[in-house]
PDB file of all heavy atoms in Angstrom:
ATOM      1  N   GLY D 682    -181.064  20.046 107.236  1.00 91.00           N
ATOM      2  CA  GLY D 682    -180.641  19.870 105.858  1.00 91.00           C
ATOM      3  C   GLY D 682    -180.263  21.148 105.137  1.00 91.00           C
ATOM      4  O   GLY D 682    -179.931  21.131 103.965  1.00 91.00           O
ATOM      5  N   GLU D 683    -180.276  22.226 105.862  1.00 94.00           N
ATOM      6  CA  GLU D 683    -179.965  23.504 105.215  1.00 94.00           C
ATOM      7  C   GLU D 683    -178.462  23.656 105.003  1.00 94.00           C
ATOM      8  O   GLU D 683    -177.660  23.142 105.774  1.00 94.00           O
ATOM      9  CB  GLU D 683    -180.481  24.656 106.090  1.00 94.00           C
ATOM     10  CG  GLU D 683    -180.635  25.957 105.316  1.00 94.00           C
ATOM     11  CD  GLU D 683    -181.188  27.087 106.192  1.00 94.00           C
ATOM     12  OE1 GLU D 683    -181.330  26.893 107.416  1.00 94.00           O
ATOM     13  OE2 GLU D 683    -181.467  28.149 105.649  1.00 94.00           O
ATOM     14  N   PHE D 684    -178.090  24.383 103.972  1.00 94.00           N
ATOM     15  CA  PHE D 684    -176.687  24.671 103.692  1.00 94.00           C
ATOM     16  C   PHE D 684    -176.472  26.165 103.891  1.00 94.00           C
ATOM     17  O   PHE D 684    -176.923  26.985 103.102  1.00 94.00           O
ATOM     18  CB  PHE D 684    -176.350  24.281 102.251  1.00 94.00           C
ATOM     19  CG  PHE D 684    -174.877  24.196 101.965  1.00 94.00           C
ATOM     20  CD1 PHE D 684    -174.265  22.962 101.797  1.00 94.00           C
ATOM     21  CD2 PHE D 684    -174.087  25.332 101.870  1.00 94.00           C
ATOM     22  CE1 PHE D 684    -172.912  22.864 101.527  1.00 94.00           C
ATOM     23  CE2 PHE D 684    -172.730  25.248 101.602  1.00 94.00           C
ATOM     24  CZ  PHE D 684    -172.132  24.012 101.434  1.00 94.00           C
ATOM     25  N   VAL D 685    -175.807  26.485 104.990  1.00 96.00           N
ATOM     26  CA  VAL D 685    -175.608  27.893 105.316  1.00 96.00           C
ATOM     27  C   VAL D 685    -174.153  28.270 105.076  1.00 96.00           C
ATOM     28  O   VAL D 685    -173.254  27.543 105.487  1.00 96.00           O
ATOM     29  CB  VAL D 685    -175.979  28.146 106.792  1.00 96.00           C
ATOM     30  CG1 VAL D 685    -175.540  29.536 107.219  1.00 96.00           C
ATOM     31  CG2 VAL D 685    -177.468  27.973 106.988  1.00 96.00           C
ATOM     32  N   VAL D 686    -173.944  29.370 104.402  1.00 95.00           N
ATOM     33  CA  VAL D 686    -172.573  29.818 104.152  1.00 95.00           C
ATOM     34  C   VAL D 686    -172.288  31.069 104.973  1.00 95.00           C
ATOM     35  O   VAL D 686    -173.091  32.001 104.987  1.00 95.00           O
ATOM     36  CB  VAL D 686    -172.360  30.108 102.655  1.00 95.00           C
ATOM     37  CG1 VAL D 686    -170.994  30.722 102.427  1.00 95.00           C
ATOM     38  CG2 VAL D 686    -172.513  28.831 101.852  1.00 95.00           C
ATOM     39  N   LEU D 687    -171.175  31.036 105.675  1.00 94.00           N
ATOM     40  CA  LEU D 687    -170.719  32.222 106.396  1.00 94.00           C
ATOM     41  C   LEU D 687    -169.680  32.919 105.541  1.00 94.00           C
ATOM     42  O   LEU D 687    -168.674  32.313 105.190  1.00 94.00           O
ATOM     43  CB  LEU D 687    -170.023  31.815 107.704  1.00 94.00           C
ATOM     44  CG  LEU D 687    -170.862  31.296 108.855  1.00 94.00           C
ATOM     45  CD1 LEU D 687    -169.937  30.886 110.004  1.00 94.00           C
ATOM     46  CD2 LEU D 687    -171.796  32.389 109.331  1.00 94.00           C
ATOM     47  N   VAL D 688    -169.938  34.180 105.204  1.00 90.00           N
ATOM     48  CA  VAL D 688    -168.908  34.909 104.463  1.00 90.00           C
ATOM     49  C   VAL D 688    -168.529  36.167 105.211  1.00 90.00           C
ATOM     50  O   VAL D 688    -169.254  36.643 106.093  1.00 90.00           O
ATOM     51  CB  VAL D 688    -169.357  35.330 103.043  1.00 90.00           C
ATOM     52  CG1 VAL D 688    -169.432  34.148 102.130  1.00 90.00           C
ATOM     53  CG2 VAL D 688    -170.653  36.094 103.101  1.00 90.00           C
ATOM     54  N   GLY D 689    -167.449  36.735 104.815  1.00 85.00           N
ATOM     55  CA  GLY D 689    -166.996  37.971 105.452  1.00 85.00           C
ATOM     56  C   GLY D 689    -165.512  38.086 105.290  1.00 85.00           C
ATOM     57  O   GLY D 689    -164.833  37.091 105.001  1.00 85.00           O
ATOM     58  N   PRO D 690    -164.976  39.261 105.457  1.00 80.00           N
ATOM     59  CA  PRO D 690    -163.551  39.462 105.249  1.00 80.00           C
ATOM     60  C   PRO D 690    -162.732  38.761 106.330  1.00 80.00           C
ATOM     61  O   PRO D 690    -163.264  38.328 107.350  1.00 80.00           O
ATOM     62  CB  PRO D 690    -163.377  40.981 105.334  1.00 80.00           C
ATOM     63  CG  PRO D 690    -164.577  41.474 106.057  1.00 80.00           C
ATOM     64  CD  PRO D 690    -165.671  40.495 105.827  1.00 80.00           C
ATOM     65  N   SER D 691    -161.467  38.686 106.077  1.00 76.00           N
ATOM     66  CA  SER D 691    -160.565  38.021 107.018  1.00 76.00           C
ATOM     67  C   SER D 691    -160.666  38.646 108.401  1.00 76.00           C
ATOM     68  O   SER D 691    -160.723  39.859 108.540  1.00 76.00           O
ATOM     69  CB  SER D 691    -159.150  38.163 106.479  1.00 76.00           C
ATOM     70  OG  SER D 691    -158.275  37.425 107.271  1.00 76.00           O
ATOM     71  N   GLY D 692    -160.719  37.803 109.403  1.00 81.00           N
ATOM     72  CA  GLY D 692    -160.730  38.294 110.781  1.00 81.00           C
ATOM     73  C   GLY D 692    -162.092  38.707 111.291  1.00 81.00           C
ATOM     74  O   GLY D 692    -162.214  39.225 112.395  1.00 81.00           O
ATOM     75  N   CYS D 693    -163.162  38.450 110.536  1.00 86.00           N
ATOM     76  CA  CYS D 693    -164.467  38.925 110.969  1.00 86.00           C
ATOM     77  C   CYS D 693    -165.118  37.981 111.968  1.00 86.00           C
ATOM     78  O   CYS D 693    -166.165  38.290 112.530  1.00 86.00           O
ATOM     79  CB  CYS D 693    -165.395  39.136 109.782  1.00 86.00           C
ATOM     80  SG  CYS D 693    -165.900  37.603 109.018  1.00 86.00           S
TER      81      CYS D 693
END
Side-chain angles (χ1 to χ4, degrees):
Chain D
E683 199 178 7
F684 195 107
V685 170
V686 173
L687 287 177
V688 288
S691 186
C693 70

